[in-house]
Amino acid sequence: MTTTTATPPVASPRPTLLSVDDDPAVSRSVARDLRRRYGSGYRIVRAESGDTALEALRELKLRGEQVAVLLADHRMPGMTGIEFLEQAMDLFPQARRILLTAYADTEAAIDAVNVVDLDHYLLKPWQPPEEKLYPVIDAQLDAWAASAPSPVPQVKVVGHRWSARSSQVREFLARNQVSYRWFSSESPEGRRLLDAAGADESAVPLVVTHEGEPLHSPDDATLAARVGLTTTPATDFYDLVVVGGGPAGLSAALYGASEGLRTALVERVATGGQAGQSSRIENYLGFPDGVSGAQLTERARRQAVRFGAEIVLAADVVGLDVQGAARQLRLADGSVVGAHTVLLANGVSYRELDGPGLAALTGRGVYYGSALTEAPACQDQDVYVVGGANSAGQSAMYLSRTARSVTLVVRGEQLSASMSHYLVEQLSANPKVRVRTCCEVVDASGDEHLERLVLQDSVTGEKEEVETSHLFVFIGAVPRTEWLDGTVARDPRGFVLAGPDLLVDGRPPAGWPLDRPPYHLETSQPGVFVAGDARAESAKRVASAVGEGAMAVMLVHRYLEQL
């Protein structure tokens, strides 16, 4: 049999092949076989537990290095191979994933195809490797080399733990899959970087790009442009422009581009929306073991880009104008992008908690939708989460992994009124989570950062002061639609009306210029559609948002056929 060894793309240092098996003899055997054939072009790393392997992957990620292939034994104590590969996807989504199984575990390997997008599974033993191992690895390396992104030297961020803007910069980079390394401004290396940039602690956050350019407290648009993200549209006119990169927007971009429409998606911060910040989505169709919001939306982003959708980040849409058959979106930087059709999928913002001290401590202990980014700082801490819906419950479960305790503060009388049943059961069974119903946060205080909260029983009026340095708030949502005032019809809360909700006694609304009534997801402005959480009376679920995004593209086609 003649085989060819895959050649890695030019990169320094070498890409990594990582294997993990809890049997030391098997682990050494795998590494030996890999090193014998691939050692000259790839770094071979082995581990004997999932936790150790994940730690190695985190170090590689921080150094800006690439991982080409992951090989994981299925039967490992503490963390199975499938569980390891699922977590490894968050760190290296482009890495090819191989499960090592015994013959009796082939059914589990097949199931893993859906859970972790498994690329291949190998039966043990694989002797001789020339016939049973190397051809598989060669094929996976060829596939990885064809799609692997060019390595990007590491971005460095110097900031203060309790600096609000430092927290925002870290979250922006993390949500946009930009590898960076964090340095405290009080650490020796942080001080060296500040000195080299001619700055002091008052200038944090300092961002040092991979090219060595220092950025002093940059805004999102500047930061995005300097770290290599696309921030301006490639052209000035499209068939479809999608506003917002959550599940509805990504779905529409994917289907629009795959069906031949010149499609651009314009996103204010990062793709994924609120769903992308969810630590765990367990009721999404096709993922029986759950999936993180970051995993789900990153897959959707890659899929949309593969079909030709253009994704523009850090672009804030501030206005919509209609000029004949064209719809023009005005951006905050003064530029304009036009299209035959527009889909409003810009979602919602977290509602802010009202009370003395809370606004001043935002980003310095009080966080909105930042549980994933801030979770490492909550280790062995007593943290508080406010909210009674799924996002609050998911965050409480996620934070309980490392926090000493998590208190879920709920204004209502019971969780079941607004939270999925499976989450209510998980919270009830978690010894680290305490649920306080009929309770509200009414005050926050602290010097440099959050130190104390005041809780009030909404029935008795009794108040209690508690000590904590972290409060995560999930108390509902406000639509980002103020920029549409006077252009499309909205309900009293600001959600966009569409389709049947626009009809008055079964007739189109006043000023509707066409003979037909509005399509199901069409707004009061023909050719402008809405999908997802920004739509009035939407289901506020990831699955429904994805479905609406796909449906909107079908209606876009119908609209374009009539032009």
Side-chain angles (χ1 to χ4, degrees):
M1 178 185 299
T2 302
T3 60
T4 58
T5 303
T7 302
V10 177
S12 180
R14 295 171 296 168
T16 294
L17 308 183
L18 182 144
S19 67
V20 52
D21 196 305
D22 64 297
D23 186 327
V26 175
S27 178
R28 288 192 294 269
S29 175
V30 176
R32 182 193 65 236
D33 286 344
L34 292 176
R35 190 172 292 109
R36 187 171 64 189
R37 185 174 179 90
Y38 305 104
S40 62
Y42 295 85
R43 175 183 298 177
I44 309 302
V45 176
R46 72 177 184 91
E48 295 180 4
S49 73
D51 286 333
T52 303
L54 286 174
E55 184 61 31
L57 288 178
R58 293 188 187 101
E59 292 180 9
L60 292 169
K61 187 71 173 179
L62 288 174
R63 293 201 298 264
E65 298 185 25
Q66 294 181 302
V67 175
V69 175
L70 300 165
L71 300 94
D73 179 56
H74 175 54
R75 289 182 177 269
M76 293 189 295
M79 180 185 299
T80 68
I82 293 175
E83 291 170 341
F84 162 73
L85 291 173
E86 187 179 14
Q87 294 189 48
M89 286 175 66
D90 285 339
L91 296 168
F92 293 96
Q94 301 280 1
R96 308 298 288 182
R97 294 171 286 278
I98 300 175
L99 194 67
L100 306 178
T101 69
Y103 182 80
D105 295 327
T106 54
E107 184 175 346
I110 295 172
D111 290 341
V113 172
N114 292 325
V115 177
V116 296
D117 279 351
L118 192 68
D119 296 304
H120 204 281
Y121 68 89
L122 275 172
L123 294 178
K124 298 188 293 186
W126 50 75
Q127 298 300 325
E130 288 77 9
E131 294 182 10
K132 297 185 179 180
L133 176 65
Y134 297 152
V136 172
I137 303 298
D138 286 345
Q140 298 306 319
L141 288 175
D142 283 335
W144 175 79
S147 61
S150 300
V152 178
Q154 199 170 63
V155 172
K156 301 177 181 66
V157 180
V158 182
H160 192 278
R161 179 184 178 186
W162 301 117
S163 159
R165 184 55 189 160
S166 294
S167 175
Q168 292 166 0
V169 164
R170 294 174 67 185
E171 184 169 349
F172 180 87
L173 293 173
R175 291 185 60 192
N176 282 293
Q177 308 292 315
V178 176
S179 175
Y180 72 93
R181 186 165 185 183
W182 165 262
F183 298 94
S184 168
S185 58
E186 299 173 346
S187 68
E189 181 63 17
R191 286 195 293 268
R192 282 193 288 269
L193 288 168
L194 287 171
D195 289 342
D200 55 30
E201 286 194 43
S202 64
V204 298
L206 169 72
V207 179
V208 181
T209 71
H210 57 272
E211 295 177 342
E213 178 187 10
L215 306 174
H216 301 277
S217 194
D219 58 32
D220 287 351
T222 301
L223 179 59
R226 294 296 195 277
V227 299
L229 301 176
T230 300
T231 59
T232 56
T235 185
D236 58 2
F237 200 86
Y238 296 85
D239 294 317
L240 169 64
V241 172
V242 180
V243 182
L250 288 169
S251 173
L254 164 63
Y255 282 100
S258 68
E259 294 175 13
L261 298 178
R262 292 171 298 166
T263 303
L265 183 153
V266 181
E267 165 57 42
R268 188 172 60 93
V269 179
T271 54
Q274 289 188 355
Q277 297 175 276
S278 175
S279 57
R280 199 74 175 169
I281 302 172
E282 298 198 51
N283 58 352
Y284 189 74
L285 184 67
F287 292 87
D289 297 314
V291 62
S292 75
Q295 284 179 1
L296 184 64
T297 55
E298 173 59 12
R299 293 184 198 180
R301 184 198 66 79
R302 287 160 46 201
Q303 198 173 11
V305 170
R306 183 167 66 86
F307 279 111
E310 182 182 334
I311 295 182
V312 181
L313 298 169
D316 194 8
V317 180
V318 297
L320 170 64
D321 300 315
V322 176
Q323 298 182 352
R327 282 87 185 95
Q328 288 193 330
L329 293 167
R330 286 180 276 116
L331 305 183
D333 63 2
S335 62
V336 175
V337 58
H340 288 301
T341 60
V342 169
L343 174 64
L344 306 174
N346 45 313
V348 292
S349 299
Y350 287 110
R351 190 184 303 276
E352 294 188 5
L353 192 62
D354 190 23
L358 288 161
L361 292 169
T362 297
R364 298 190 293 126
V366 177
Y367 303 100
Y368 294 86
S370 300
L372 292 176
T373 307
E374 296 297 329
C378 297
Q379 186 168 357
D380 298 326
Q381 301 293 312
D382 298 316
V383 303
Y384 286 74
V385 178
V386 179
N390 281 10
S391 55
Q394 290 162 350
S395 294
M397 289 297 299
Y398 182 78
L399 291 165
S400 70
R401 297 179 183 180
T402 56
R404 180 167 53 203
S405 70
V406 179
T407 301
L408 185 60
V409 180
V410 184
R411 185 173 58 178
E413 297 181 0
Q414 54 186 4
L415 282 177
S416 58
S418 55
M419 188 178 293
S420 295
H421 179 68
Y422 80 90
L423 262 178
V424 176
E425 289 190 327
Q426 288 181 0
L427 292 168
S428 300
N430 191 326
K432 286 189 176 183
V433 177
R434 176 190 181 192
V435 179
R436 295 190 59 168
T437 56
C438 299
C439 187
E440 298 180 71
V441 173
V442 296
D443 197 353
S445 59
D447 295 328
E448 187 180 35
H449 59 87
L450 175 66
E451 297 175 6
R452 294 168 295 276
L453 294 174
V454 175
L455 308 180
Q456 182 173 18
D457 189 302
S458 57
V459 177
T460 66
E462 182 179 353
K463 294 183 179 180
E464 175 188 0
E465 185 176 271
V466 296
E467 294 185 358
T468 184
S469 58
H470 287 83
L471 172 69
F472 299 90
V473 184
F474 304 88
I475 57 169
V478 179
R480 300 194 192 107
T481 59
E482 63 281 351
W483 57 277
L484 294 167
D485 190 30
T487 307
V488 299
R490 298 177 295 157
D491 70 9
R493 296 181 298 164
F495 291 94
V496 177
L497 298 168
D501 293 331
L502 287 168
L503 301 182
V504 180
D505 296 328
R507 302 176 191 175
W512 178 256
L514 303 179
D515 294 336
R516 62 168 177 81
Y519 294 136
H520 183 67
L521 297 176
E522 196 169 21
T523 70
S524 60
Q525 192 63 250
V528 178
F529 300 83
V530 62
D533 290 357
R535 184 177 67 84
E537 306 302 326
S538 64
K540 307 297 188 291
R541 287 290 187 269
V542 175
S544 62
V546 170
E548 287 187 8
M551 181 189 296
V553 172
M554 179 188 72
L555 299 174
V556 164
H557 277 293
R558 190 179 300 176
Y559 172 84
L560 291 174
E561 289 170 357
Q562 298 177 356
L563 288 181

